[in-house]
């Protein structure tokens, strides 16, 4: 039997257990326990049936070769859902897929949910887009599947705007149908001050070993509930600030971001940024097909070594790239290489800010760019050393009303 026919047969068997988001359709927290039991039982039955098939008993060398070929051939979404399904077959397959599937930094691909917490590719921008729903105050991040259109894409993250008396929160979730702090798919949030000039990005899990949890009122309220699968704390990973426009002069916004969890050396040749390798807090244990990420305990080796001294090294600071004034068009211009088509005060490009004032080639490299392409549609392109989650949170700050900046 040829490898091609083996792969086709395997797709037919495990294709039925791949589910949405990443091809997992999450069970809403409002459903009854009986509904969850029925659904979980049906999924377990499908997985058990696959475990009894001939593919589970393949020799290790042949199995690895087959899985490598699947990972290589299914390099784009939606076919890449088959790679996710392979990781959910059994523990043996899961361990092999952990070794085969590389992080976005190396592969340039988003495969598993944890990929959203890992730095993007080093040599190119990963192209995504954001859709805004004004009526529900929600924002949806998609991976672009077609460079010529933003009509279709692979769903990645969702955020919901929550206004408070003194601040605004943007709750970020892996589930587009349940965007709340109490959701088991909650991954973090963005919080602004009253004026909308200063923002803090919180991660639901520590970005590197040794980081301390930030206590806040919402954390205390969540901890009082009997919900053991909810992340127990907020970890501050970045601060965003917009300059005040006290004179009311017209021009683009000026912003800078201090990335608490990333050293400034990460943008230099050979620099390294922290990389999360799994969800540690059990927030995905309720999803059978995401068993790839299950962890019985918080392990200190789940982060790449060498990042415990990030705070002492100096943090990475990002600043917006200054636009130039175009005399003929009578507007401020930036080169987005065709990715932005509508003029907007929200449009920006972020580059690394040099520590000593002397900018090298690495400080001209665009790390994140965001801009408008249509009504309530915006492109978001990012690369190393920031992750999709961090990039999404930074872009959400541009949507927020800024009373003193415009």
């Amino acid at each position: 039997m040829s490898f091609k026919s083996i792969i086709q047969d395997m797709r037919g068997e495990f294709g039925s257990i791949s589910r949405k988001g990443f091809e997992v359709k999450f069970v809403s927290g409002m459903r009854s326990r009986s509904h969850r039991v029925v659904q979980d039982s049906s999924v377990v039955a499908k997985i058990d049936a696959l475990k009894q098939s001939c593919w589970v008993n393949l020799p290790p060398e042949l199995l690895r070769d087959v899985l490598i070929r699947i990972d290589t051939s299914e390099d784009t979404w939606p076919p890449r859902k088959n790679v996710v399904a392979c990781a959910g077959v059994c523990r043996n397959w899961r361990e092999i897929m952990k070794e085969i599937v590389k992080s976005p930094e190396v592969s340039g691909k988003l495969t598993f949910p944890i990929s959203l917490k890992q730095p993007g590719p080093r040599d190119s921008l990963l192209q995504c887009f954001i859709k805004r729903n004004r009526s529900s105050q929600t924002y949806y991040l998609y991976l672009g599947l077609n460079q010529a259109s933003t009509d279709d894409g692979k769903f990645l993250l969702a955020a919901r705007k929550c206004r408070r008396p003194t601040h605004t929160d943007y709750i970020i979730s892996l589930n587009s149908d349940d965007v709340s702090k109490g959701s088991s798919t909650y991954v973090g949030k963005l919080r602004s001050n009253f004026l909308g000039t200063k923002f803090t990005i919180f991660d639901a899990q520590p970005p590197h070993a040794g980081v301390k949890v930030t206590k806040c009122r919402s954390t205390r309220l969540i901890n009082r509930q009997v919900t053991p699968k909810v992340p127990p704390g907020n970890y501050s990973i970045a601060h965003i600030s917009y300059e005040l426009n006290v004179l009311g002069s017209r021009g683009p916004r000026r912003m800078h971001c201090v990335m608490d969890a990333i050293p400034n050396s990460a943008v230099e040749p050979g620099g390294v940024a922290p990389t999360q390798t799994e969800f540690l807090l059990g927030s995905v244990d309720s999803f059978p097909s995401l068993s790839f990420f299950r962890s019985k305990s918080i392990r200190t080796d789940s982060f790449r070594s060498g990042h415990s001294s990030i705070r002492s090294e100096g943090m990475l600071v990002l600043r917006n790239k200054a636009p130039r004034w175009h005399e003929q068009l009578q507007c401020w211009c930036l080169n987005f290489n065709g990715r932005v088509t509508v003029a907007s005060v929200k449009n920006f490009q972020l580059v690394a800010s040099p520590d000593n004032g002397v900018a090298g080639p690495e400080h001209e490299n665009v790390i994140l760019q965001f801009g408008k392409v249509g009504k309530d549609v915006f492109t978001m392109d990012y690369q190393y050393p920031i992750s999709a989650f961090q990039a999404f949170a930074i872009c959400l700050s541009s949507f927020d009303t800024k009373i003193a900046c415009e």
Side-chain angles (χ1 to χ4, degrees), residues 6 60 101 129 132 232 284 338 342:
I6 289 177
V101 177
F129 62 93
R132 174 176 57 182
V284 294
V342 180

Side-chain angles (χ1 to χ4, degrees), residues 243-249 404-405:
E243 289 187 15
L244 296 177
N245 187 4
V246 293
L247 299 179
S249 59
C405 295

Side-chain angles (χ1 to χ4, degrees), residues 294-349:
R294 292 181 183 173
S295 177
K296 294 182 179 179
S297 61
I298 297 179
R299 296 179 357 216
T300 56
D301 60 349
S302 294
F303 303 96
R304 292 185 181 178
S305 60
H307 304 295
S308 59
S309 59
I310 286 179
R311 292 189 175 273
S312 61
E313 287 186 28
M315 305 169 189
L316 174 65
V317 178
L318 304 178
R319 58 172 176 82
N320 64 308
K321 192 172 184 179
R324 61 179 180 85
W325 178 256
H326 198 290
E327 289 293 342
Q328 294 180 343
L329 298 178
Q330 290 294 298
C331 65
W332 296 96
C333 295
L334 279 171
N335 182 13
F336 288 93
N337 295 306
R339 290 285 291 164
V340 177
T341 58
V342 180
S344 173
V345 70
K346 296 179 177 64
N347 301 348
F348 67 80
Q349 290 180 325

Side-chain angles (χ1 to χ4, degrees), residues 114-347:
I114 195 62
S115 302
L116 303 175
K117 292 291 191 73
Q118 298 175 336
R122 283 183 178 267
D123 301 324
S124 62
L125 290 167
L126 202 55
Q127 297 183 345
C128 307
F129 62 93
I130 298 172
K131 288 188 175 182
R132 174 176 57 182
N133 187 324
R134 293 176 181 265
S135 60
S136 61
Q137 295 285 286
T138 51
Y139 307 83
Y140 303 96
L141 176 65
Y142 297 87
L143 176 65
L145 303 182
N146 185 351
Q147 295 185 0
S149 172
T150 55
D151 295 335
D152 190 21
K154 174 72 188 72
F155 170 76
L156 301 177
L157 291 168
R160 181 171 59 89
K161 185 176 183 178
C162 302
R163 293 185 180 275
R164 313 294 185 193
T166 59
H167 63 272
T168 301
D169 283 343
Y170 290 82
I171 306 300
I172 304 175
S173 172
L174 291 168
N175 185 0
S176 60
D177 298 323
D178 187 8
V179 187
S180 64
K181 185 70 181 292
S183 171
S184 56
T185 55
Y186 166 78
V187 293
K189 70 179 180 181
L190 173 74
R191 169 166 291 184
S192 76
N193 64 355
F194 177 75
L195 295 177
T197 57
K198 295 185 183 299
F199 298 80
T200 303
I201 302 175
F202 294 97
D203 198 332
Q205 69 179 40
H208 57 84
V211 69
K212 294 183 179 180
V213 65
T214 301
K215 294 294 182 180
C216 63
R217 181 176 180 272
S218 59
T219 302
R220 294 193 295 269
L221 291 177
I222 287 293
N223 287 340
R224 291 187 189 128
Q225 302 174 1
V226 186
T227 51
K229 292 179 181 178
V230 173
N234 292 310
Y235 298 87
S236 175
I237 61 170
H239 293 81
I240 308 165
S241 63
Y242 290 81
E243 289 187 15
L244 296 177
N245 187 4
V246 293
L247 299 179
S249 59
R250 299 184 62 184
R253 294 172 176 171
R254 296 182 180 180
M255 61 182 292
H256 74 275
C257 309
V258 179
M259 311 302 295
D260 300 358
I262 304 177
N264 53 22
S265 59
V267 297
E268 299 175 359
V272 179
T275 302
Q276 298 181 18
T277 58
E278 62 182 352
F279 288 108
L280 304 180
L281 302 173
S283 60
V284 294
D285 282 349
S286 57
F287 315 134
S289 58
L290 283 183
S291 57
F292 180 92
F293 303 105
R294 292 181 183 173
S295 177
K296 294 182 179 179
S297 61
I298 297 179
R299 296 179 357 216
T300 56
D301 60 349
S302 294
F303 303 96
R304 292 185 181 178
S305 60
H307 304 295
S308 59
S309 59
I310 286 179
R311 292 189 175 273
S312 61
E313 287 186 28
M315 305 169 189
L316 174 65
V317 178
L318 304 178
R319 58 172 176 82
N320 64 308
K321 192 172 184 179
R324 61 179 180 85
W325 178 256
H326 198 290
E327 289 293 342
Q328 294 180 343
L329 298 178
Q330 290 294 298
C331 65
W332 296 96
C333 295
L334 279 171
N335 182 13
F336 288 93
N337 295 306
R339 290 285 291 164
V340 177
T341 58
V342 180
S344 173
V345 70
K346 296 179 177 64
N347 301 348

Side-chain angles (χ1 to χ4, degrees), residues 359-374:
E362 65 273 11
H363 298 102
E364 294 299 322
N365 192 28
V366 174
I367 295 176
L368 170 64
Q369 66 178 21
F370 171 79
K372 192 173 185 178
V373 293

